[in-house]
Amino acid sequence: MGTVFAIVLVFVGCCSNVVFLELLVREFPGCGNIVTFAQFAFIALEGFIFETNFGRKKPAIPIGNYVIMVTMFFTVSVINNYALNFNIAMPLHMIFRSGSLIANMILGIIILKKRYSASKYLSIVLVSVGIFICTIMSAKQVNVSNEGSEEEGVYAFMHWLLGIAMLTFALLMSARMGIFQETLYKQYGKHSKEALFYNHCLPLPGFLLLSTNIYNHSVYFSQSTPVALPVIGLTVPVLWIYLLMNVITQYVCIRGVFILTTECASLTVTLVVTLRKFLSLIISILYFQNPFTAWHWVGTAVVFLGTLLYTEVWSSVRAVLRGPEVKEKKAQ
């Protein structure tokens, strides 16, 4: 029952989160900082009350280690959201972030000297090719959509390339953070709720560096179309409602993933998250009518095929299907 509930939370929370994020980004592409700040503040407040008992509970992992982890987490979160300001379409943004498993594997080979099976290396190639196809197709769309002078076209393309560079850096930094977390958990044990709190609480002072941008967008949000809330009777600017819903759905998504990690094997968690990403992508394309060519679909299929190959889903499915056959043979 807990597993089904967690899967529902992940799909409903994360897919709804994508919808509200895209509604915000379509109005103000540079609103990533205020969205990130709101998400961090909400999760930090919840963790301060329920996880640390208003600061009375001591952390199981030393704060110094959390500072290192938080620096990486803050950087990844801000860069990922800020990249949307560089003409990066939401579908491409999601496809790029689907390469996290492979980035983690590459850094595992380089840093931890790990070795993997041939199927894992094939998955690296598939995901890399898929992301490359989608990126190239998106690059062509940037050039086609720009109807200004040649100089303006070059500027738009370079602006887009900077966004791609930011996503690449964030992808590798996220993978490095995953390896750092892995080593911490081996040493001190798993404390995911505690890590969730400190990862969102400690970076809050860092948003002072982005305070001007956050304030400007809060003004823009307040100037958006007012909407009357049912029952309450208050009128609230629509973008504040979108932001509130984005924060709530983000929390629901994270809580769902947390429950899933305590109820299921890591393979199941990875499969659920991968399928959730694919569904979010479909919603973004169909509901918001984002430009998505046949080549984008090919690239997307290759990315998810590579991800499923990495998680060894096929062998697990075969093992489940063979289970009854093996039992029948033993009975005979």
Side-chain angles (χ1 to χ4, degrees):
M1 187 66 181
T3 303
V4 174
F5 178 66
I7 291 173
V8 170
L9 286 181
V10 170
F11 275 91
V12 173
C14 297
C15 293
S16 302
N17 180 260
V18 168
V19 171
F20 288 111
L21 178 60
E22 183 135 9
L23 286 170
L24 289 166
V25 169
R26 285 189 166 232
E27 289 290 329
F28 295 104
C31 69
N33 290 332
I34 191 172
V35 172
T36 309
F37 172 70
Q39 291 173 351
F40 274 52
F42 182 86
I43 293 171
L45 179 62
E46 188 274 343
F48 181 71
I49 297 170
F50 297 105
E51 172 58 24
T52 70
N53 193 18
F54 295 94
R56 288 194 287 266
K57 181 183 174 183
K58 291 185 178 179
I61 299 174
I63 290 292
N65 289 319
Y66 276 125
V67 170
I68 298 171
M69 191 192 303
V70 157
T71 302
M72 290 188 278
F73 183 67
F74 177 75
T75 304
V76 168
S77 298
V78 171
I79 289 178
N80 266 329
N81 282 334
Y82 197 66
L84 292 169
N85 201 28
F86 289 80
N87 208 15
I88 301 293
M90 189 64 75
L92 180 61
H93 192 271
M94 285 187 279
I95 293 165
F96 229 89
R97 294 179 71 176
S98 296
S100 56
L101 271 177
I102 308 306
N104 189 62
M105 182 177 164
I106 292 171
L107 289 188
I109 294 169
I110 297 171
I111 298 171
L112 301 178
K113 309 298 181 186
K114 287 185 176 181
R115 291 294 175 264
Y116 298 92
S117 63
S119 64
K120 292 284 198 294
Y121 290 113
L122 177 59
S123 69
I124 286 183
V125 175
L126 288 174
V127 173
S128 301
V129 168
I131 292 175
F132 178 76
I133 291 171
C134 291
T135 305
I136 292 299
M137 291 302 106
S138 296
K140 287 183 178 179
Q141 287 176 350
V142 170
N143 288 333
V144 169
S145 63
N146 192 79
E147 298 176 353
S149 64
E150 185 177 341
E151 189 176 328
E152 288 175 345
V154 171
Y155 173 78
F157 182 69
M158 295 303 293
H159 195 66
W160 177 83
L161 274 183
L162 184 57
I164 293 295
M166 291 171 72
L167 286 178
T168 305
F169 175 79
L171 190 66
L172 293 172
M173 178 68 80
S174 178
R176 182 65 185 90
M177 184 181 74
I179 291 173
F180 184 71
Q181 280 179 317
E182 188 180 327
T183 55
L184 276 185
Y185 290 157
K186 280 182 181 177
Q187 186 176 354
Y188 298 102
K190 285 189 176 182
H191 303 278
S192 47
K193 282 191 76 175
E194 178 185 288
L196 183 66
F197 165 69
Y198 284 105
N199 276 344
H200 288 82
C201 178
L202 294 181
L204 288 177
F207 284 101
L208 290 172
L209 300 171
L210 309 169
S211 57
T212 303
N213 181 274
I214 292 171
Y215 173 76
N216 289 338
H217 278 89
S218 67
V219 172
Y220 298 149
F221 280 22
S222 298
Q223 293 171 349
S224 61
T225 307
V227 174
L229 296 176
V231 182
I232 304 173
L234 293 174
T235 54
V236 180
V238 67
L239 290 184
W240 283 114
I241 296 174
Y242 291 161
L243 180 62
L244 176 64
M245 295 305 298
N246 175 267
V247 169
I248 292 172
T249 51
Q250 172 76 358
Y251 175 73
V252 169
C253 178
I254 288 175
R255 288 294 295 161
V257 172
F258 168 72
I259 295 170
L260 209 57
T261 55
T262 59
E263 296 276 344
C264 307
S266 59
L267 176 64
T268 306
V269 177
T270 305
L271 178 59
V272 169
V273 171
T274 301
L275 292 174
R276 191 277 304 167
K277 286 179 179 177
F278 187 73
L279 182 59
S280 297
L281 184 65
I282 299 297
I283 292 170
S284 178
I285 295 162
L286 298 180
Y287 184 77
F288 292 99
Q289 297 182 336
N290 280 307
F292 214 73
T293 65
W295 278 108
H296 280 97
W297 282 113
V298 171
T300 303
V302 173
V303 168
F304 284 102
L305 178 64
T307 303
L308 294 175
L309 182 64
Y310 179 90
T311 56
E312 298 177 349
V313 169
W314 314 121
S315 57
S316 298
V317 171
R318 280 200 301 269
V320 171
L321 294 175
R322 285 176 182 172
E325 294 177 10
V326 172
K327 286 180 182 177
E328 286 176 12
K329 287 180 181 178
K330 283 184 178 179
Q332 292 173 359

